[in-house]
Amino acid sequence: MPAFEELRKEMEADDGTREVVIKRSRDVLKLSKTAIYCLHRGQTELATSNLAEARTIVEAELFPLADGKAQLRFGGALSGALEEYAEAVIFQGYLRDGRVPSPRSEGLAGVVNRDEYLGGVMDFVGEVTRTAVLAATRRDEEAVARAREAVDDVQLALMGFDFRNGQLRRKYDGIKYSLKKLEQVTYEMSLTKALGQFSMGSRDSCLCARGLV
């Protein structure tokens, strides 16, 4: 029957488009993850290059393929890749400017939607917490304090949202654990510093008592 043959061809075409979207979305996801890895290692130029390539794939290939097809654009591989991309761009902006970029910032506006941006912000909390832990090993109190302030700001900003049960709610609930970890890191650094000062003071007192200083 001609009508059924037409439907079959339409379904095959949709399946082919879906496979391309899934494959190229994986490429965007990989580029974004690599960019985050590079940012942790201080390789900012390589991270910028990866994010530029990811954005090109999204705008030149994926958006045209998903245009008018809500099932491809929202809630699938493409949306997941864009959330990872948003996380990378937000992390890059934080490291560069010391603050969380707004959804209207370059690289985000017109590329990610509201939920993808919010998901990226929440995932960014994990990255900035990781930088704080590494900074603590270098005894970089200022970097740890900046990270804690950033997570505090994110949590405060998101308190006004009514996240219903779902992925965003789970990610939002995870922020408190990151904040708790940062508080623990801050406490341990202050304790180590206090013990070090106490040890130095005790040493000086002993030397004075023995007439060596």
Side-chain angles (χ1 to χ4, degrees):
M1 298 174 64
F4 282 88
E5 180 64 16
E6 184 177 338
L7 289 174
R8 184 187 65 79
K9 290 180 179 179
E10 182 181 325
M11 183 176 290
E12 286 181 351
D14 286 344
D15 286 343
T17 300
R18 185 180 298 105
E19 289 301 317
V20 174
V21 168
I22 291 173
K23 181 181 182 302
R24 293 303 271 162
S25 294
R26 286 174 182 159
D27 293 337
V28 172
L29 184 70
K30 183 177 179 180
L31 286 165
S32 301
K33 284 183 177 294
T34 302
I36 292 172
Y37 176 78
C38 291
L39 289 169
H40 277 295
R41 294 172 61 88
Q43 299 171 329
T44 54
E45 290 186 5
L46 184 54
T48 299
S49 175
N50 282 342
L51 290 176
E53 184 179 350
R55 182 176 179 179
T56 297
I57 293 172
V58 169
E59 294 181 329
E61 300 180 39
L62 290 171
F63 279 174
L65 287 171
D67 186 37
K69 300 180 177 67
Q71 71 275 18
L72 292 180
R73 174 61 186 88
F74 305 106
L78 175 53
S79 188
L82 285 172
E83 195 169 292
E84 189 75 22
Y85 168 82
E87 177 188 355
V89 173
I90 292 165
F91 186 40
Q92 182 187 50
Y94 167 79
L95 293 177
R96 182 185 62 237
D97 305 322
R99 55 185 173 80
V100 176
S102 79
R104 295 180 294 277
S105 301
E106 174 65 27
L108 294 171
V111 182
V112 301
N113 63 25
R114 179 199 62 202
D115 287 1
E116 290 156 359
Y117 171 78
L118 290 173
V121 168
M122 295 176 198
D123 287 338
F124 151 79
V125 167
E127 303 305 333
V128 76
T129 300
R130 191 170 293 113
T131 65
V133 172
L134 292 174
T137 64
R138 304 190 303 269
R139 299 293 186 267
D140 189 343
E141 296 180 20
E142 184 178 344
V144 174
R146 282 199 309 270
R148 181 179 175 181
E149 182 180 3
V151 175
D152 265 329
D153 289 344
V154 168
Q155 186 180 51
L156 181 62
L158 295 177
M159 280 182 179
F161 288 79
D162 181 18
F163 295 115
R164 303 187 184 279
N165 291 335
Q167 185 179 18
L168 287 180
R169 163 54 66 179
R170 290 191 293 272
K171 290 188 176 190
Y172 173 72
D173 289 342
I175 293 177
K176 61 185 176 185
Y177 298 110
S178 293
L179 190 56
K180 184 176 181 180
K181 186 172 186 178
L182 287 169
E183 290 171 349
Q184 182 66 27
V185 168
T186 302
Y187 170 74
E188 290 176 356
M189 286 187 68
S190 63
L191 186 62
T192 300
K193 183 178 181 180
L195 288 173
Q197 291 174 342
F198 175 77
S199 177
M200 183 62 70
S202 298
R203 175 179 175 276
D204 290 344
S205 296
C206 289
L207 291 175
C208 286
R210 294 165 61 185
L212 298 178
V213 293

